[in-house]
Amino acid sequence: MDLLIAIDDTDSIEEGATGQLAQHIAKRIDQRGWGRCGAITRHQLLLAPEVPYTSHNSSMCFPASVHVPRSELIAFCSEILKACSAAGSDPGLCIVCPEELQDHEVLIGYGKATKQRVMTKEEAYQLAEDLGLHLSEHGGNGQGIIGALAGTGLRLSGNDGRFCGKCTIPSSHGITTVTQIHAAGIDRVQTLEGHHLGVAEPVFVGEWVKTVLLDNQSVLLVEPNARPERPSSDAPWKACERKIFMNY
Amino acid sequence: MHQLQKTALGTIFLGSVETEADLEAAANLATHCHEYQEDVEDEAYFNGSKTCFDCRFRRWLSGGFSCLKNFPGTSHNK
């Protein structure tokens, strides 16, 4: 059974990080031998004063291919959320089986709308009921269900957000090739304008890179290397500066 | 520091990571802040540089951020 699992609002001003908690849940599922979890993506939601987020209003989602009853998985994730969420947080959990969804676009549309306007818990619960998804709150005011539901929709879209964590690529003085980048598990290397690099092209990647989710792939964004980081880094391309991720 | 502006919502840093003056202002604020705490890796954008843009206590808004500690070390905190 292939699922998407998303959580949101598990941190507080002083403690916690939703990405780390998502990582923890994924790791525990793997450790139990229940199946395999994929990479976590972070999805930016609406930034507006009237939305009660802590500091960045982002949701975390990951795919899981599991062979345990869904009720058992839900109970397990709920326990972890209850035990590990920060005091004062408003955690939400959403679990979706995309194969069972008759219309992906409704959930994707909800995710996109959550980036544009203020949503209510009532809307989220109604949609979850209409689509037959699992959506639950685990403390506080439960506002996290909105981001959790949106996270599954945005991940399902295949074109939103960035992957959590760093990806290290074997290189010589920070320079490698697209072939090596592929070997490190990154599906594609392209410019912001959408130009795909050829497999032999050299790219300055430094010590590590981060990737974004485009067309359901992990994509490394690059730009022309106009100012080499050092004399030896004369690759024609370099990984985009990290601040570019504010747009993903 | 013209990036800090008082609004109906409190004091807000209006600026972007694309502008040198805003980057400098955010770095300057962080340097003089006793509450500064770097956010987790997935929420940071400047690889360890001390800047409000990467502080755990900044609250992103469209066009900038507010400070959950109310910009310590500035007149806005009084």
Side-chain angles (χ1 to χ4, degrees), chain A residues 28-208:
Chain A
R28 294 283 304 276
I29 291 171
D30 285 342
Q31 283 174 342
R32 289 202 154 206
W34 282 358
R36 297 195 58 149
C37 294
I40 298 163
T41 45
R42 174 203 186 274
H43 302 277
Q44 183 65 56
L45 307 176
L46 179 67
L47 295 174
E50 58 269 42
V51 181
Y53 56 89
T54 308
S55 63
H56 26 70
N57 203 24
S58 56
S59 171
M60 302 288 171
C61 184
F62 61 92
S65 184
V66 296
H67 49 76
V68 289
R70 205 173 314 178
S71 57
E72 200 169 336
L73 183 70
I74 290 167
F76 182 68
C77 294
S78 301
E79 270 178 36
I80 296 179
L81 278 181
K82 189 175 176 185
C84 301
S85 295
S89 64
D90 310 306
L93 168 70
C94 184
I95 299 182
V96 177
C97 179
E99 282 180 15
E100 295 173 357
L101 280 181
Q102 289 194 343
D103 186 356
H104 286 192
E105 291 308 315
V106 175
L107 185 57
I108 292 170
Y110 177 85
K112 289 179 177 175
T114 307
K115 296 169 82 76
Q116 303 294 327
R117 68 176 177 89
V118 179
M119 312 296 268
T120 66
K121 280 176 63 178
E122 290 70 27
E123 285 175 289
Y125 275 129
Q126 186 61 57
L127 183 64
E129 187 180 333
D130 292 347
L131 297 178
L133 315 176
H134 172 79
L135 187 64
S136 55
E137 55 187 87
H138 300 277
N141 62 25
Q143 283 278 345
I145 62 162
I146 296 170
L149 183 61
T152 59
L154 292 167
R155 179 69 183 244
L156 191 60
S157 79
N159 276 299
D160 187 89
R162 59 193 196 235
F163 284 88
C164 293
K166 301 172 177 175
C167 183
T168 305
I169 302 164
S171 69
S172 173
H173 302 293
I175 299 177
T176 190
T177 63
V178 172
T179 298
Q180 287 289 330
I181 294 170
H182 288 164
I186 295 172
D187 301 310
R188 207 162 86 201
V189 183
Q190 70 169 62
T191 65
L192 293 172
E193 295 76 25
H195 167 71
H196 296 201
L197 269 59
V199 292
E201 295 201 62
V203 181
F204 181 77
V205 293
E207 294 179 6
W208 49 265

Side-chain angles (χ1 to χ4, degrees), chain B residues 24-76:
Chain B
E24 193 177 323
N28 190 40
L29 276 172
T31 299
H32 296 96
C33 178
H34 61 278
E35 296 278 7
Y36 179 83
Q37 189 178 317
E38 188 175 354
D39 207 343
V40 293
E41 190 272 328
D42 284 315
E43 300 297 342
Y45 298 95
F46 291 95
N47 300 347
S49 298
K50 198 170 182 180
T51 166
C52 291
F53 284 115
D54 279 0
C55 179
R56 183 180 181 92
F57 301 121
R58 51 91 177 87
R59 185 173 192 267
W60 288 110
L61 297 167
S62 177
F65 55 83
S66 60
C67 173
L68 296 168
K69 300 290 184 180
N70 201 21
F71 297 102
T74 72
S75 58
H76 295 271

